[in-house]
Amino acid sequence: MKALFLLLTLFPALSCLAQEWNLDKCLSYALENNKELLSSQYGVDIQRIERKTVQSNLFPEISVNAGLDYYWKVPVQTLPGELAGESPGTFITVPTTTTHAGNYSLDMWLNLFNVETWSRIKLEALKEQARKQEYISIEKLLSKNVSISFYLFQQHNNSLTAAKHRYDNQVQIHNLIEKLFGEGVTDQIALNQSLSLLKEQEEIYIRTAHVLENSLVDLKFWMGYPLDSLLTIEQGNDIPRPDNMGFEASRLPDYELQRLRVDIAEKQHKNSASAFYPKLEAVGSYGQFGFGETGRYIARSSAWHTSSFIGLRLSIPLFSLSNINSSRKGKIQVAQARQDFAYYEDSQCKAFLQQSNNLQCSWETLTILNEKLRLAEESERLCMQKIEKGIIDMLQLKQVQQDLIEEQEKYNQAKTNYLKHYVEIIYLQGR
């Protein structure tokens, strides 16, 4: 207990030694160090490579091939005997190679006309845009989480200050009652009740300190800040006032991402339909084949025979049930994506309107509870003045303090709810 009080007592001094972080600095640090955001950037890079991989199909492919074969059983082919001067109806077997054979070639392939390839390139470009939008969406969500954690830390820090103030007041009251007890003005019952109230304030103080520490860990996590390092947040008690914001669907944090998903579904449907288009390719090869009864044929130029060609390959799809079903599936997926996008807009509009109503309600509630808290604090001061004058009413003091604690908790909860609604509104409208 003494160690905790010493830490809390030294906390302001440590804050002076360390640089205080405001919300903007916390957000900037998070955008550079949050691990989820960094991982999302890798996803963008991977998708960029995927697009370039598909684009590479437009460039020629050139390869060098070579091989050496040894046939311990030479393959043969059956031919009509007439080719060798035999009588009609007879057959002869002719070896198709020699014991040793080899080849090498330079082969080339070029895509001349392929609608499916171009469609895939456009599809991968859309997916790359979607990946970038996912990164931006994570950025916005991260800013929301950091902002909420920042405001909650300030709120818990203010609660700790209030709990420390109430504890100090109770220490003064208990010291006064101890003095009056020593003078015989009050009895042991009043002293025990005072000590019980002191322990209650001490318990609240300790619990509030741990809540503050947990909120700081939460903020560090979202920032990507080392969890075991010192982080000093600037103190603050002002809260932003609610602004009248109109709803614009295009300002939603995931609007572009959701719209791109519709575009991707449409492009995927077109990509499946491109399978019905013909394909034209250019091919070519230059190589030599070598034969011999021994491996020495490799060094004899007369054993090698040149073979080269260049040509076109045309493929025209006539019927494919698989392609037909893929096209039908793509059409349904487009309709589904459009419906999902419409649902997204409606659901986000609903969330915005509800958050706006909750924000206004929280603000009005916060104003009322602030006044009730002020009255409770005034009652505590008046009760302390009575005790200083020797008028001791422990039941009244206990009730006054319980009322103050209850009003403080209500006010803190209302302020927490207000800040959450405020940050949510900012998040939904990208402001």
Side-chain angles (χ1 to χ4, degrees):
M1 179 62 197
K2 292 182 179 179
L4 177 62
F5 280 170
L6 179 60
L7 176 61
L8 295 173
T9 303
L10 293 176
F11 186 77
L14 293 174
S15 300
C16 295
L17 295 176
Q19 182 181 6
E20 292 188 344
W21 289 55
N22 57 22
L23 179 57
D24 290 338
K25 188 174 181 180
C26 290
L27 290 172
S28 298
Y29 187 92
L31 294 178
E32 295 179 0
N33 296 276
N34 180 266
K35 294 177 177 57
E36 182 182 11
L37 192 62
L38 294 175
S39 176
S40 180
Q41 181 59 56
Y42 286 121
V44 174
D45 297 338
I46 291 173
Q47 189 57 50
R48 183 183 301 112
I49 295 175
E50 289 286 345
R51 173 182 56 80
K52 291 182 178 180
T53 300
V54 177
Q55 285 180 333
S56 64
N57 290 329
L58 299 177
F59 294 88
E61 293 185 5
I62 301 175
S63 62
V64 175
N65 301 285
L68 292 174
D69 300 312
Y70 168 71
Y71 297 92
W72 64 86
K73 193 70 174 178
V74 177
V76 297
Q77 183 176 3
T78 301
L79 299 174
E82 298 177 58
L83 296 177
E86 301 292 335
S87 59
T90 60
F91 297 92
I92 60 174
T93 56
V94 179
T96 59
T97 184
T98 58
T99 305
H100 295 269
N103 67 87
Y104 63 89
S105 64
L106 179 68
D107 301 317
M108 182 274 296
W109 173 89
L110 176 62
N111 201 337
L112 295 179
F113 178 79
N114 193 325
V115 176
E116 188 174 5
T117 299
W118 283 104
S119 181
R120 284 188 59 197
I121 292 173
K122 294 178 181 178
L123 176 60
E124 293 301 324
L126 284 176
K127 288 182 178 180
E128 183 181 358
Q129 293 181 37
R131 277 290 187 177
K132 292 178 180 178
Q133 287 301 321
E134 284 182 5
Y135 178 85
I136 295 174
S137 295
I138 294 176
E139 271 189 339
K140 294 178 180 179
L141 183 59
L142 176 62
S143 298
K144 167 191 167 182
N145 292 331
V146 171
S147 299
I148 289 179
S149 299
F150 180 88
Y151 286 134
L152 288 182
F153 176 84
Q154 287 189 329
Q155 171 65 13
H156 294 317
N157 192 36
N158 294 333
S159 298
L160 181 64
T161 301
K164 178 67 166 56
H165 176 72
R166 291 197 302 269
Y167 175 78
D168 291 340
N169 288 344
Q170 190 61 43
V171 170
Q172 295 179 10
I173 292 174
H174 184 68
N175 291 337
L176 179 58
I177 291 178
E178 277 187 329
K179 178 181 177 182
L180 295 176
F181 175 76
E183 296 173 354
V185 177
T186 186
D187 56 12
Q188 184 68 42
I189 296 176
L191 181 63
N192 291 342
Q193 289 177 331
S194 175
L195 182 59
S196 177
L197 292 176
L198 179 61
K199 291 298 181 181
E200 182 177 352
Q201 293 296 335
E202 181 180 342
E203 178 188 357
I204 295 174
Y205 184 34
I206 294 174
R207 188 169 61 247
T208 306
H210 286 299
V211 171
L212 176 64
E213 184 64 25
N214 287 336
S215 67
L216 182 59
V217 171
D218 191 56
L219 176 58
K220 288 179 179 180
F221 170 77
W222 290 118
M223 290 173 57
Y225 195 86
L227 298 179
D228 56 351
S229 299
L230 177 65
L231 177 63
T232 306
I233 302 301
E234 69 173 6
Q235 299 181 5
N237 197 33
D238 297 333
I239 58 177
R241 295 181 61 87
D243 297 328
N244 294 325
M245 296 184 184
F247 177 77
E248 297 180 29
S250 60
R251 299 185 70 93
L252 289 170
D254 296 328
Y255 180 83
E256 287 299 323
L257 176 59
Q258 296 294 332
R259 186 187 62 78
L260 279 170
R261 286 175 178 171
V262 177
D263 295 342
I264 288 174
E266 292 175 347
K267 185 56 66 177
Q268 285 176 333
H269 174 52
K270 292 182 179 179
N271 188 52
S272 62
S274 64
F276 296 100
Y277 288 86
K279 302 177 180 63
L280 181 63
E281 302 169 350
V283 294
S285 176
Y286 175 84
Q288 288 191 325
F289 298 89
F291 304 95
E293 294 298 335
T294 66
R296 296 178 180 177
Y297 77 95
I298 296 177
R300 297 201 311 266
S301 60
S302 60
W304 290 91
H305 308 277
T306 303
S307 174
S308 61
F309 76 93
I310 186 170
L312 298 175
R313 300 290 184 268
L314 177 64
S315 174
I316 303 177
L318 295 180
F319 176 78
S320 173
L321 188 58
S322 175
N323 291 341
I324 293 174
N325 288 330
S326 296
S327 181
R328 290 174 178 173
K329 177 184 175 182
K331 186 176 181 180
I332 297 174
Q333 288 176 330
V334 170
Q336 183 184 30
R338 290 173 179 171
Q339 196 63 39
D340 289 343
F341 183 65
Y343 174 79
Y344 165 78
E345 288 186 306
D346 289 344
S347 63
Q348 294 300 295
C349 180
K350 168 179 168 288
F352 174 80
L353 295 176
Q354 289 179 336
Q355 290 293 344
S356 296
N357 291 333
N358 292 336
L359 182 68
Q360 189 62 36
C361 179
S362 298
W363 178 259
E364 295 172 359
T365 302
L366 195 61
T367 303
I368 296 173
L369 291 177
N370 187 41
E371 180 62 22
K372 292 178 67 177
L373 178 61
R374 187 190 65 79
L375 294 174
E377 291 173 344
E378 183 179 0
S379 296
E380 184 192 39
R381 287 194 299 270
L382 294 175
C383 191
M384 289 182 61
Q385 291 176 5
K386 290 174 64 176
I387 293 176
E388 291 173 355
K389 294 177 181 179
I391 305 174
I392 302 174
D393 188 345
M394 297 306 299
L395 292 178
Q396 183 186 47
L397 175 60
K398 183 175 182 179
Q399 184 61 49
V400 166
Q401 289 186 338
Q402 287 179 345
D403 291 343
L404 177 58
I405 293 173
E406 181 179 349
E407 294 302 329
Q408 184 72 57
E409 290 179 349
K410 288 182 179 179
Y411 177 79
N412 290 342
Q413 186 59 49
K415 189 175 181 180
T416 298
N417 292 336
Y418 172 81
L419 291 172
K420 288 182 178 179
H421 295 318
Y422 177 81
V423 174
E424 189 68 29
I425 286 290
I426 299 300
Y427 169 70
L428 288 174
Q429 284 299 278
R431 298 186 171 120

